[in-house]
Amino acid sequence: MNLDLILFLILALVAVGTAIGMLLSRNAVYSALFLVLNFITVAVFYLLLGAPFIAMSQITIYAGAIMVLFLFVIMLLGAESLPQAEVLPWQRPFAIALAVILVSEAAYLLITRATTTANVPLPGEAPNTMDNLRELGMVLFNQYLLPFEVTSILLLVAMVGAIVLIRREKRVH
């Protein structure tokens, strides 16, 4: 086993552990912090793949900006700990069916993608040159500008809607 494989296995355990911790945590702040650690682990995966720009974007955008927004909304709404909710009878079978569909899709993709060869750069090549970054920037800010802006507006509307709903509930009770 080489060092990259050992590091990958350790990071995979950390990523899975933080994802499970995020899902099982009853405190919303702890859950958000587990998610930040998971984002950082994914950024290290990108570094192992030789993509430092994407790794820094992952940390800056997800672990930085979006998680600060989530934590701000959690603290503003006072939803640090989740109340015990009643489980509807159809939720568990529906979740199991969706999990089976997801696992079967993942298995199908792994089987079909394993036969194709990936376009991997040779060991001596530099995958991230300035030209690649320039092309990436041009594509992001020309071709994908509208979806980016729509997503940011949807996030803003969702945050404002959550604040309005909580304020309305606090006035009623």
Side-chain angles (χ1 to χ4, degrees):
M1 277 211 257
N2 59 7
L3 184 62
D4 286 342
L5 181 60
I6 293 171
L7 186 59
F8 172 78
L9 292 174
I10 292 170
L11 286 172
L13 287 174
V14 170
V16 170
T18 55
I20 290 171
M22 180 196 67
L23 291 174
L24 297 179
S25 178
R26 298 299 300 166
N27 189 323
V29 175
Y30 290 156
S31 184
L33 291 175
F34 276 123
L35 188 59
V36 168
L37 186 58
N38 194 290
F39 286 154
I40 292 171
T41 307
V42 170
V44 175
F45 278 134
Y46 287 134
L47 284 176
L48 284 176
L49 290 172
F53 176 74
I54 297 175
M56 290 302 112
S57 299
Q58 171 83 14
I59 290 174
T60 304
I61 294 170
Y62 288 112
I66 291 180
M67 286 314 299
V68 166
L69 180 69
F70 283 172
L71 287 174
F72 173 72
V73 170
I74 288 169
M75 295 299 203
L76 182 68
L77 299 180
E80 289 88 18
S81 96
L82 300 172
Q84 197 69 297
E86 69 178 58
V87 178
L88 299 175
W90 56 269
Q91 281 179 328
R92 189 171 306 264
F94 187 64
I96 291 171
L98 287 178
V100 167
I101 290 170
L102 179 66
V103 168
S104 62
E105 284 179 359
Y108 172 75
L109 287 175
L110 284 174
I111 291 169
T112 58
R113 302 286 183 199
T115 59
T116 62
T117 58
N119 187 10
V120 178
L122 297 174
E125 290 183 34
N128 291 322
T129 61
M130 232 14 211
D131 292 334
N132 287 345
L133 293 179
R134 190 171 291 117
E135 290 173 18
L136 176 66
M138 293 301 289
V139 168
L140 281 177
F141 291 114
N142 288 331
Q143 187 176 354
Y144 294 107
L145 182 63
L146 181 63
F148 175 77
E149 293 295 329
V150 168
T151 304
S152 65
I153 290 171
L154 283 174
L155 284 172
L156 179 66
V157 167
M159 183 180 67
V160 170
I163 292 171
V164 166
L165 287 174
I166 288 297
R167 295 287 181 195
R168 189 174 298 155
E169 284 181 12
K170 284 185 179 179
R171 277 189 232 147
V172 170
H173 295 299

